Amino acid sequence: AQTVTQSQPEMSVQEAETVTLSCTYDTSENNYYLFWYKQPPSRQMILVIRQEAYKQQNATENRFSVNFQKAAKSFSLKISDSQLGDTAMYFCAFMKPDLTGANSKLTFGKGITLSVRP
Amino acid sequence: EPEVTQTPSHQVTQMGQEVILRCVPISNHLYFYWYRQILGQKVEFLVSFYNNEISEKSEIFDDQFSVERPDGSNFTLKIRSTKLEDSAMYFCAARGGKAYEQYFGPGTRLTVT
């Protein structure tokens, strides 16, 4: 079974600065996907970014980028130019696609609470 | 991206009562999921649903739970006899055929008293 570990329960960053959220995972699979989801106080789960394990290039989405280290099984999220609206819980998630695509459940870490200070 | 919607946003029920949580996925999505999040804890997988049948379920998804997509549109989660420990946020998620991103609904907060 896959496990996802987010060891930092909370972090704080000054507005406009950069912050990195850590995530490690454990799997014996070679082909998988990794995701970061954001959960603001409304508790809606919002997809932030996705990384395919077969891609060496790190994914980027505007101010969000990842540092994917497959050998180390590490998947950190970097938020540049932090904004007040980035205040939320952030969850790292793992998915192993099966052959049919039907059993592609997400396995989540415990999450990290990020606070952006004005 | 069109939205996944869920109703109700908040449901309060007494222990032992049946509840049905509803989800309207995006029209061209094929794979459907239910997850739950007990307050302050991580999001946990309950069940996945494809081609009108359950494709995978977790240990949490016992005989008290069932899912169906009765009219090809709504995707429902039924809890037959609720327990206090069923109090949680329940999220529906959906995805299309080729992409692996799952898009979540806004959740239903279930409170069992």
PDB file of all heavy atoms in Angstrom, chain A residues 15-28:
ATOM      1  N   GLU A  15       3.577  37.647   3.162  1.00  0.00           N
ATOM      2  CA  GLU A  15       3.047  37.951   1.830  1.00  0.00           C
ATOM      3  C   GLU A  15       4.188  38.357   0.897  1.00  0.00           C
ATOM      4  O   GLU A  15       5.116  39.084   1.297  1.00  0.00           O
ATOM      5  CB  GLU A  15       2.037  39.096   1.956  1.00  0.00           C
ATOM      6  CG  GLU A  15       1.172  39.342   0.743  1.00  0.00           C
ATOM      7  CD  GLU A  15       0.144  40.435   0.989  1.00  0.00           C
ATOM      8  OE1 GLU A  15       0.217  41.111   2.043  1.00  0.00           O
ATOM      9  OE2 GLU A  15      -0.738  40.607   0.142  1.00  0.00           O
ATOM     10  N   ALA A  16       4.117  37.862  -0.350  1.00  0.00           N
ATOM     11  CA  ALA A  16       5.085  38.156  -1.418  1.00  0.00           C
ATOM     12  C   ALA A  16       6.358  37.293  -1.338  1.00  0.00           C
ATOM     13  O   ALA A  16       7.157  37.311  -2.266  1.00  0.00           O
ATOM     14  CB  ALA A  16       5.483  39.616  -1.471  1.00  0.00           C
ATOM     15  N   GLU A  17       6.524  36.560  -0.246  1.00  0.00           N
ATOM     16  CA  GLU A  17       7.695  35.705  -0.160  1.00  0.00           C
ATOM     17  C   GLU A  17       7.390  34.317  -0.721  1.00  0.00           C
ATOM     18  O   GLU A  17       6.268  34.012  -1.114  1.00  0.00           O
ATOM     19  CB  GLU A  17       8.172  35.634   1.291  1.00  0.00           C
ATOM     20  CG  GLU A  17       8.708  36.973   1.781  1.00  0.00           C
ATOM     21  CD  GLU A  17       9.366  36.871   3.147  1.00  0.00           C
ATOM     22  OE1 GLU A  17       9.220  35.842   3.821  1.00  0.00           O
ATOM     23  OE2 GLU A  17      10.020  37.860   3.532  1.00  0.00           O
ATOM     24  N   THR A  18       8.427  33.487  -0.729  1.00  0.00           N
ATOM     25  CA  THR A  18       8.319  32.135  -1.275  1.00  0.00           C
ATOM     26  C   THR A  18       8.310  31.118  -0.143  1.00  0.00           C
ATOM     27  O   THR A  18       9.021  31.284   0.861  1.00  0.00           O
ATOM     28  CB  THR A  18       9.498  31.850  -2.221  1.00  0.00           C
ATOM     29  OG1 THR A  18       9.400  32.732  -3.354  1.00  0.00           O
ATOM     30  CG2 THR A  18       9.492  30.411  -2.701  1.00  0.00           C
ATOM     31  N   VAL A  19       7.515  30.090  -0.297  1.00  0.00           N
ATOM     32  CA  VAL A  19       7.438  29.046   0.723  1.00  0.00           C
ATOM     33  C   VAL A  19       7.429  27.691   0.026  1.00  0.00           C
ATOM     34  O   VAL A  19       6.919  27.552  -1.090  1.00  0.00           O
ATOM     35  CB  VAL A  19       6.175  29.223   1.596  1.00  0.00           C
ATOM     36  CG1 VAL A  19       4.900  29.054   0.777  1.00  0.00           C
ATOM     37  CG2 VAL A  19       6.163  28.266   2.782  1.00  0.00           C
ATOM     38  N   THR A  20       8.035  26.709   0.691  1.00  0.00           N
ATOM     39  CA  THR A  20       8.074  25.347   0.160  1.00  0.00           C
ATOM     40  C   THR A  20       7.424  24.387   1.141  1.00  0.00           C
ATOM     41  O   THR A  20       7.796  24.366   2.326  1.00  0.00           O
ATOM     42  CB  THR A  20       9.516  24.916  -0.128  1.00  0.00           C
ATOM     43  OG1 THR A  20      10.075  25.788  -1.114  1.00  0.00           O
ATOM     44  CG2 THR A  20       9.558  23.488  -0.641  1.00  0.00           C
ATOM     45  N   LEU A  21       6.487  23.605   0.643  1.00  0.00           N
ATOM     46  CA  LEU A  21       5.785  22.606   1.466  1.00  0.00           C
ATOM     47  C   LEU A  21       6.305  21.225   1.086  1.00  0.00           C
ATOM     48  O   LEU A  21       6.369  20.893  -0.096  1.00  0.00           O
ATOM     49  CB  LEU A  21       4.270  22.691   1.214  1.00  0.00           C
ATOM     50  CG  LEU A  21       3.645  24.076   1.270  1.00  0.00           C
ATOM     51  CD1 LEU A  21       2.131  23.973   1.055  1.00  0.00           C
ATOM     52  CD2 LEU A  21       3.959  24.771   2.570  1.00  0.00           C
ATOM     53  N   SER A  22       6.631  20.425   2.093  1.00  0.00           N
ATOM     54  CA  SER A  22       7.264  19.137   1.842  1.00  0.00           C
ATOM     55  C   SER A  22       6.280  17.979   1.811  1.00  0.00           C
ATOM     56  O   SER A  22       5.231  18.014   2.480  1.00  0.00           O
ATOM     57  CB  SER A  22       8.305  18.850   2.934  1.00  0.00           C
ATOM     58  OG  SER A  22       9.272  19.860   2.965  1.00  0.00           O
ATOM     59  N   CYS A  23       6.626  16.970   1.040  1.00  0.00           N
ATOM     60  CA  CYS A  23       5.821  15.752   0.965  1.00  0.00           C
ATOM     61  C   CYS A  23       6.737  14.614   0.554  1.00  0.00           C
ATOM     62  O   CYS A  23       7.559  14.768  -0.349  1.00  0.00           O
ATOM     63  CB  CYS A  23       4.700  15.919  -0.064  1.00  0.00           C
ATOM     64  SG  CYS A  23       3.761  14.406  -0.415  1.00  0.00           S
ATOM     65  N   THR A  24       6.626  13.495   1.224  1.00  0.00           N
ATOM     66  CA  THR A  24       7.314  12.285   0.794  1.00  0.00           C
ATOM     67  C   THR A  24       6.284  11.175   0.682  1.00  0.00           C
ATOM     68  O   THR A  24       5.200  11.240   1.265  1.00  0.00           O
ATOM     69  CB  THR A  24       8.423  11.864   1.781  1.00  0.00           C
ATOM     70  OG1 THR A  24       7.838  11.649   3.079  1.00  0.00           O
ATOM     71  CG2 THR A  24       9.508  12.913   1.872  1.00  0.00           C
ATOM     72  N   TYR A  25       6.628  10.169  -0.088  1.00  0.00           N
ATOM     73  CA  TYR A  25       5.690   9.079  -0.281  1.00  0.00           C
ATOM     74  C   TYR A  25       6.455   7.773  -0.378  1.00  0.00           C
ATOM     75  O   TYR A  25       7.683   7.773  -0.580  1.00  0.00           O
ATOM     76  CB  TYR A  25       4.845   9.321  -1.542  1.00  0.00           C
ATOM     77  CG  TYR A  25       5.673   9.489  -2.790  1.00  0.00           C
ATOM     78  CD1 TYR A  25       5.952   8.414  -3.627  1.00  0.00           C
ATOM     79  CD2 TYR A  25       6.219  10.730  -3.118  1.00  0.00           C
ATOM     80  CE1 TYR A  25       6.729   8.561  -4.753  1.00  0.00           C
ATOM     81  CE2 TYR A  25       6.999  10.896  -4.245  1.00  0.00           C
ATOM     82  CZ  TYR A  25       7.251   9.807  -5.058  1.00  0.00           C
ATOM     83  OH  TYR A  25       8.044   9.961  -6.175  1.00  0.00           O
ATOM     84  N   ASP A  26       5.734   6.712  -0.223  1.00  0.00           N
ATOM     85  CA  ASP A  26       6.358   5.397  -0.293  1.00  0.00           C
ATOM     86  C   ASP A  26       5.546   4.534  -1.252  1.00  0.00           C
ATOM     87  O   ASP A  26       4.333   4.374  -1.082  1.00  0.00           O
ATOM     88  CB  ASP A  26       6.417   4.754   1.099  1.00  0.00           C
ATOM     89  CG  ASP A  26       7.228   3.473   1.101  1.00  0.00           C
ATOM     90  OD1 ASP A  26       8.122   3.341   0.238  1.00  0.00           O
ATOM     91  OD2 ASP A  26       6.968   2.601   1.937  1.00  0.00           O
ATOM     92  N   THR A  27       6.207   3.990  -2.249  1.00  0.00           N
ATOM     93  CA  THR A  27       5.558   3.119  -3.200  1.00  0.00           C
ATOM     94  C   THR A  27       6.595   2.246  -3.868  1.00  0.00           C
ATOM     95  O   THR A  27       7.767   2.621  -3.974  1.00  0.00           O
ATOM     96  CB  THR A  27       4.790   3.926  -4.264  1.00  0.00           C
ATOM     97  OG1 THR A  27       4.081   3.022  -5.112  1.00  0.00           O
ATOM     98  CG2 THR A  27       5.729   4.778  -5.100  1.00  0.00           C
ATOM     99  N   SER A  28       6.149   1.097  -4.363  1.00  0.00           N
ATOM    100  CA  SER A  28       7.012   0.229  -5.147  1.00  0.00           C
ATOM    101  C   SER A  28       6.680   0.352  -6.639  1.00  0.00           C
ATOM    102  O   SER A  28       7.309  -0.304  -7.470  1.00  0.00           O
ATOM    103  CB  SER A  28       6.849  -1.223  -4.694  1.00  0.00           C
ATOM    104  OG  SER A  28       5.496  -1.620  -4.808  1.00  0.00           O
TER     105      SER A  28
END
